[in-house]
Amino acid sequence: MNVANAAANATVHAASATVNATVNVANVAMRATLKPLAMVGQALFTSGIGDFDSGMISSDDEDSTVFDVEGEGRSRGVDALTQTLMAKKETRGVNIWRALVLLSLLAAGATTSVFAYKILNDEAQEDFEYSYELFVRTIEDVGAVQIMNGLRGCASLAEQMAANALANNETFPFVTLQDFELLGGHARRLSRLDVLQYTPIVEEADVEEWANYSALNQGWIERSRELATGGDSLLINTVYEGGNINPDIWERGESGSPIRAVNQPLLPIWHISPPPYSPSIINFNMMSELFIQRMFPVVQAASSFGLSEVLDVSRLRSTVVSPDSEWDESGPHSILLVPVFDKLTGAEGRKMSGLIQGVFPWQKYLENLLPNGVEGVMIVLENSCGQAFTYILNGANATYLGEGDLHDSDWNSMKERLVNTGLGFSDFDEVHQEQAASGLVCSYWFNVYPTNQLESQYTSNLPIVVACIVAGTFFLMATTFFMYDRFVRKRNAKVVKAATQSNKIVESLFPSNVRDRLLAEEIEAEKREVEQQQGTQTRLKNYLANDGPAAGDMETDDIMYKTQPIADLFPETSILFADIAGFTAWSSAREPSQVFTLLETVYRAFDEIATRRRVFKVETVGDCYVAATGLPEPRIDHAVAMVRFAKDCMFKMQVLTRTLEVSLGPDTADLAMRMGIHSGPVTAGVLRGERSRFQLFGDTMNTASRMESTGIREHIQISQDTADLLVAAGKNSWIRPREDVVVAKGKGEMQTYFVQVGKSKGSERTGTATASMGDEADVSEVSEVSEEPLEEEVMKPTASAKIARLIDWNVDVLIRLLKTIVAHRRSKGEEKAREAFPSEEDFSRSDGTTVLDEVVEQIALPEFDQAAAKEQMSPDKVALDAATETQLYEYVAAIAAMYRDNPFHNFEHASHVTMSVSKLMSRIVAPSDLDFQSAAAKNAELHDHTYGITSDPLTQFACVLSALIHDVDHTGVPNTQLVLENERMASYYNGRSVAEQNSVDVAWDLLMQDEFATLRSTIYASDDDFRRFRQLVVNSVMATDIMDKELKALRNARWDRAFSEAAQAADDDARATVNRKATIVIEHLIQASDVAHTMQHWHIYRKWNAKLFEEMYKAYVEGRAEKNPADFWYKGEIGFFDFYIIPLAKKLKECGVFGVSSKEYLNYAERNRKEWEMRGQEVVSELIENVNKIYQSQLAKVGIEVEALEAPQGLQGAIPTNITIDAGQIT
């Protein structure tokens, strides 16, 4: 019995196992049937189910059920018949849909191919048109600036001619500038003119007197030649033709021979820059030229400039310029006429007394309009005189193609006419417009066209390739579908047969409704999986669209958020890291507001480009801009789109920095982008919290960061992965391999590529690039000092353009201070009428006294005026008159011209000192522990805390102006050498502070000229103001002489008396104590600014340290210094820090008026001292090597061979130490 029971149990268990296995097989078969069918469409899925059910029903019999419930058999029979009929109907429907799907795939393939081609082609065309429009606007903006700078330079020279006549009590035409090359040369370089000349108007009655006058005053020619050659008599004799001028005004007769001038009024050439090759050109009557005869009445009537038609200027060779000169007279040239008046601007009853005439080379004005890499923009220069000339712009270069309009007519639809070039007459009077329309003078405009060359940079065969690939893909899909359908039907037949056999077992275990539930649950599970995958991306897009997470996403329990994180993987993206090279050093010398002005302006422009390019901006971290393509919306062209975006940003940065330099100060135009791009997968999501942020993670981000950090300024470095995507997209012409190996932190050696932003191959770093300094290291800043400059410079500004921007910036700073002076004066009710001038004539120094004798221990600053403080108006509401602003610009421009071309003591350094003074002035603050109830209370406390400096705008203006003029006419050698070289000057200034006293006298004498009367009346309106202004200028400039031991001892004693507790206790005069403190603080302020580079970022210190070394070495090789600077430079800098710079920075901190700037300056000074101690010897070696290259090449040009000797103190490098030459031999 037990055996029987065991056998029965075994049989039951075996049957159960068989049933379970059968059920599992059935479920697996069902899943295997459903999933592949779902891949080809719902129609096929339905077909599979229909066949499956049909098979099951047709095989059914009444013995197959286990649950013999009443009515179950009958209902199953009815269901079987119904399902059989439905199956046949479904099968017919499936066959119809199968054919429709196949046809749809083929039709979709054809349609998608056409649309893919059109979309890609339209995108390339749109990209081309957008970039072209950007280039046109750049041409318009930069061209207008360059041309207006040229006109401004000539107008400034005309004003200086009038001022010189007034200052010397001369009357036109008998006016001569012995140093014409100094002012005229500066105006010519600023204006980019080939030749600049002055022609006075000589009436017939003055002809004889003019002949005598010109013969007696022709010495200006020799003086101009000396200025142009540095006084090298050998060079003068070989470059120029000797002889005297023809004193008679002459012109050419019909045969070409000189005859006595007959065309009236007479316009003899008198001054020329550059100095004339032959004196015979002097007194040539320009009125004999037909274009002058046409234009002279127009310029005279309009009292404004005029521009001639394009003329042949080849006649200037052998007269104005040497026949052996490299001057290129080919290409279109016009003659610019600017009137010279007998009185200054604004004076009544003035009349035209002469003309400034300039040879206007269009080639130079069309250069540097576009960045390198932009090739194939055509410009047709047209004028109202019926002439046309064609140029092609390839990056910063302009190539003259020929006369006439040579553009391709296929591009007429994209023509851009630029009339706002500074040379139209829309802003002038009706007389000028009428004469321009009649052709007596010419107005000019640019017609800009793209070319096939430009278009080719944005188009390729990619649309055709993609269209073919899409069509082939769809055809392959249709073929695959057909074959797949065939195999599926065969497989389904087998599955249905197996399912039919197992169906009996399944139905014997479960009713049909349970079977249907199992199937429904399987489908629902798959549906939930799909929704879960799609839900993350949907939530992520909602976060980005709503700029924050939904409320439900932020609900938390004690530990975690209740909802899943908002995150997803994006497998195909390109990431950009863009950093401003040189930003850290640049920002160390700026006010916080200026730093943010730069970042806001630049990144706002980048954001606009990103919107246009459909690029996603991730974030900005400091000066680093991070962007991505391929998320949150995937796109197949993510690498191409990112590279285009990077190039647009690179070009925009170059334009913006040149524009911003006018408001943000020196070196702004030297900033550049350094970019890195890498492509790959990233994890993107929202880090929820108090400040939820969208973040990207993954190795792609790290690699993109390394591409940027190991890159080069003004270059876009990309990884191998990004390069592969560009090549696959047909953009292999966009890239070139980087020659040296990049070693990136955490990555090892990497092969990288540069995006071609120009055709020429730029210099790259030699050796192995590395990011071992860490992510925060600014590699570009290291290269700014130690690397050779790149050959591939993008929109590299010329020296004259940089000086012009520095002039504009200085004028802008001084205008803001002038507005503050006027606002302060109005609040006190002391503003005088224009004709009420102070008694400047009463000012004079006694015989035998010098500027140094004027230095006082304390300058009396005004006491605080509570009533005026309450009525103080905003300087922004003050509008200065045009005469004041014009005269201020002309004064600053004249100061710039008076600075010599020294490596260190030059106008750029003066501007750097000015910037530091402005920064320190802006950082003057009240004590931070006081709570002010009103603005007036704050002003009163600030006045007391800063010893009256902040409440007197005139003091601030005087400090800034002193910084600007403190090195005017500096000769590039210290006072000890200047005393030996210029005995007359040394005697005049008693051998002390010679350069500083000379700078004060030169700048002051210029300001006191009649042409600046309106400017002076704006600066000061009373005798007290005038004398305080003079005293502030004298004390400030004289404080910059830090080498005079006696002056240094006196300043230290004054500091001790002003700030030591014992001295203050012994001083009964509280007002005198405040004035003494104010005076010594002002002197230390300008002292600190004069050496501010030592208390700023290491790279700024390196830059100016190298310039000073070069200047001292230049003096050494010229025989103007006894010691080789390499002998003492390393130890000398350490001593300079220990005994001057750091004590000076501590004094700024001790006086307590400069806020955080004093601490900032001290920290930088200590860090630079430490850095110099560690790296100084290496730096000196580099300095020696650099100056050795510079001066050996210059000496070789004048035929002097120099043997390079080893540098002293074991420093590596070579330097010539055994030569002495005349200063004039180095130009």
Side-chain angles (χ1 to χ4, degrees), residues 671-688:
L671 296 175
M673 297 306 299
R674 184 182 62 244
M675 299 181 176
I677 302 175
H678 177 62
S679 302
V682 297
T683 298
V686 180
L687 283 179
R688 293 173 290 183

mmCIF file of all heavy atoms in Angstrom, residues 671-688:
data_model
loop_
_atom_site.group_PDB
_atom_site.id
_atom_site.type_symbol
_atom_site.label_atom_id
_atom_site.label_comp_id
_atom_site.label_asym_id
_atom_site.label_seq_id
_atom_site.Cartn_x
_atom_site.Cartn_y
_atom_site.Cartn_z
ATOM 1 N N LEU A 671 43.451 90.711 -24.041
ATOM 2 C CA LEU A 671 42.767 89.515 -23.563
ATOM 3 C C LEU A 671 42.305 88.676 -24.754
ATOM 4 O O LEU A 671 41.976 89.210 -25.811
ATOM 5 C CB LEU A 671 41.553 89.901 -22.712
ATOM 6 C CG LEU A 671 41.848 90.645 -21.410
ATOM 7 C CD1 LEU A 671 40.546 91.062 -20.747
ATOM 8 C CD2 LEU A 671 42.674 89.790 -20.461
ATOM 9 N N ALA A 672 42.278 87.377 -24.563
ATOM 10 C CA ALA A 672 41.873 86.482 -25.653
ATOM 11 C C ALA A 672 41.283 85.214 -25.050
ATOM 12 O O ALA A 672 41.494 84.903 -23.876
ATOM 13 C CB ALA A 672 43.058 86.143 -26.557
ATOM 14 N N MET A 673 40.524 84.504 -25.871
ATOM 15 C CA MET A 673 39.915 83.252 -25.415
ATOM 16 C C MET A 673 40.862 82.071 -25.644
ATOM 17 O O MET A 673 41.646 82.065 -26.589
ATOM 18 C CB MET A 673 38.609 82.988 -26.164
ATOM 19 C CG MET A 673 37.527 84.032 -25.937
ATOM 20 S SD MET A 673 37.145 84.322 -24.197
ATOM 21 C CE MET A 673 36.570 82.711 -23.679
ATOM 22 N N ARG A 674 40.766 81.106 -24.766
ATOM 23 C CA ARG A 674 41.435 79.815 -24.923
ATOM 24 C C ARG A 674 40.355 78.756 -24.735
ATOM 25 O O ARG A 674 39.731 78.692 -23.678
ATOM 26 C CB ARG A 674 42.548 79.657 -23.885
ATOM 27 C CG ARG A 674 43.355 78.362 -24.058
ATOM 28 C CD ARG A 674 44.409 78.220 -22.979
ATOM 29 N NE ARG A 674 43.839 78.135 -21.658
ATOM 30 C CZ ARG A 674 44.042 79.034 -20.704
ATOM 31 N NH1 ARG A 674 44.794 80.075 -20.926
ATOM 32 N NH2 ARG A 674 43.469 78.897 -19.504
ATOM 33 N N MET A 675 40.120 77.945 -25.766
ATOM 34 C CA MET A 675 38.965 77.058 -25.761
ATOM 35 C C MET A 675 39.373 75.603 -25.927
ATOM 36 O O MET A 675 40.364 75.305 -26.603
ATOM 37 C CB MET A 675 37.995 77.443 -26.886
ATOM 38 C CG MET A 675 37.435 78.851 -26.771
ATOM 39 S SD MET A 675 36.274 79.217 -28.103
ATOM 40 C CE MET A 675 35.726 80.864 -27.608
ATOM 41 N N GLY A 676 38.589 74.721 -25.329
ATOM 42 C CA GLY A 676 38.796 73.286 -25.468
ATOM 43 C C GLY A 676 37.463 72.583 -25.644
ATOM 44 O O GLY A 676 36.476 72.940 -24.991
ATOM 45 N N ILE A 677 37.417 71.596 -26.535
ATOM 46 C CA ILE A 677 36.183 70.856 -26.834
ATOM 47 C C ILE A 677 36.480 69.363 -26.810
ATOM 48 O O ILE A 677 37.496 68.909 -27.340
ATOM 49 C CB ILE A 677 35.611 71.249 -28.213
ATOM 50 C CG1 ILE A 677 35.323 72.760 -28.286
ATOM 51 C CG2 ILE A 677 34.334 70.471 -28.515
ATOM 52 C CD1 ILE A 677 34.883 73.227 -29.658
ATOM 53 N N HIS A 678 35.571 68.616 -26.206
ATOM 54 C CA HIS A 678 35.644 67.156 -26.238
ATOM 55 C C HIS A 678 34.229 66.621 -26.417
ATOM 56 O O HIS A 678 33.256 67.223 -25.941
ATOM 57 C CB HIS A 678 36.252 66.605 -24.955
ATOM 58 C CG HIS A 678 36.278 65.096 -24.901
ATOM 59 N ND1 HIS A 678 36.979 64.333 -25.809
ATOM 60 C CD2 HIS A 678 35.663 64.221 -24.050
ATOM 61 C CE1 HIS A 678 36.813 63.056 -25.515
ATOM 62 N NE2 HIS A 678 36.020 62.958 -24.461
ATOM 63 N N SER A 679 34.106 65.482 -27.097
ATOM 64 C CA SER A 679 32.800 64.883 -27.361
ATOM 65 C C SER A 679 32.726 63.512 -26.715
ATOM 66 O O SER A 679 33.701 62.750 -26.723
ATOM 67 C CB SER A 679 32.578 64.764 -28.877
ATOM 68 O OG SER A 679 32.664 66.023 -29.509
ATOM 69 N N GLY A 680 31.547 63.207 -26.192
ATOM 70 C CA GLY A 680 31.345 61.915 -25.555
ATOM 71 C C GLY A 680 30.097 61.932 -24.694
ATOM 72 O O GLY A 680 29.343 62.921 -24.668
ATOM 73 N N PRO A 681 29.853 60.869 -23.935
ATOM 74 C CA PRO A 681 28.653 60.799 -23.084
ATOM 75 C C PRO A 681 28.828 61.595 -21.790
ATOM 76 O O PRO A 681 29.931 61.677 -21.240
ATOM 77 C CB PRO A 681 28.523 59.306 -22.795
ATOM 78 C CG PRO A 681 29.936 58.798 -22.857
ATOM 79 C CD PRO A 681 30.626 59.611 -23.918
ATOM 80 N N VAL A 682 27.735 62.164 -21.325
ATOM 81 C CA VAL A 682 27.739 62.848 -20.028
ATOM 82 C C VAL A 682 26.477 62.480 -19.272
ATOM 83 O O VAL A 682 25.438 62.175 -19.866
ATOM 84 C CB VAL A 682 27.811 64.390 -20.167
ATOM 85 C CG1 VAL A 682 29.091 64.821 -20.815
ATOM 86 C CG2 VAL A 682 26.603 64.928 -20.910
ATOM 87 N N THR A 683 26.590 62.506 -17.969
ATOM 88 C CA THR A 683 25.428 62.368 -17.103
ATOM 89 C C THR A 683 24.978 63.763 -16.722
ATOM 90 O O THR A 683 25.760 64.546 -16.172
ATOM 91 C CB THR A 683 25.765 61.558 -15.847
ATOM 92 O OG1 THR A 683 26.170 60.244 -16.239
ATOM 93 C CG2 THR A 683 24.561 61.463 -14.925
ATOM 94 N N ALA A 684 23.722 64.074 -17.038
ATOM 95 C CA ALA A 684 23.190 65.401 -16.761
ATOM 96 C C ALA A 684 22.038 65.279 -15.793
ATOM 97 O O ALA A 684 21.213 64.358 -15.896
ATOM 98 C CB ALA A 684 22.726 66.070 -18.056
ATOM 99 N N GLY A 685 21.988 66.169 -14.846
ATOM 100 C CA GLY A 685 20.905 66.113 -13.884
ATOM 101 C C GLY A 685 20.868 67.324 -12.992
ATOM 102 O O GLY A 685 21.667 68.256 -13.138
ATOM 103 N N VAL A 686 19.916 67.295 -12.065
ATOM 104 C CA VAL A 686 19.692 68.417 -11.159
ATOM 105 C C VAL A 686 20.132 68.006 -9.763
ATOM 106 O O VAL A 686 19.617 67.022 -9.206
ATOM 107 C CB VAL A 686 18.212 68.832 -11.151
ATOM 108 C CG1 VAL A 686 18.012 70.005 -10.201
ATOM 109 C CG2 VAL A 686 17.740 69.176 -12.547
ATOM 110 N N LEU A 687 21.082 68.732 -9.220
ATOM 111 C CA LEU A 687 21.473 68.547 -7.818
ATOM 112 C C LEU A 687 20.519 69.379 -6.982
ATOM 113 O O LEU A 687 20.618 70.602 -6.926
ATOM 114 C CB LEU A 687 22.923 68.996 -7.604
ATOM 115 C CG LEU A 687 24.002 68.042 -8.093
ATOM 116 C CD1 LEU A 687 25.373 68.632 -7.829
ATOM 117 C CD2 LEU A 687 23.886 66.681 -7.427
ATOM 118 N N ARG A 688 19.561 68.700 -6.370
ATOM 119 C CA ARG A 688 18.524 69.409 -5.631
ATOM 120 C C ARG A 688 19.056 69.892 -4.293
ATOM 121 O O ARG A 688 19.943 69.291 -3.712
ATOM 122 C CB ARG A 688 17.305 68.514 -5.438
ATOM 123 C CG ARG A 688 16.591 68.196 -6.744
ATOM 124 C CD ARG A 688 15.488 67.174 -6.578
ATOM 125 N NE ARG A 688 16.017 65.833 -6.299
ATOM 126 C CZ ARG A 688 15.259 64.739 -6.169
ATOM 127 N NH1 ARG A 688 13.939 64.844 -6.301
ATOM 128 N NH2 ARG A 688 15.799 63.572 -5.930
#
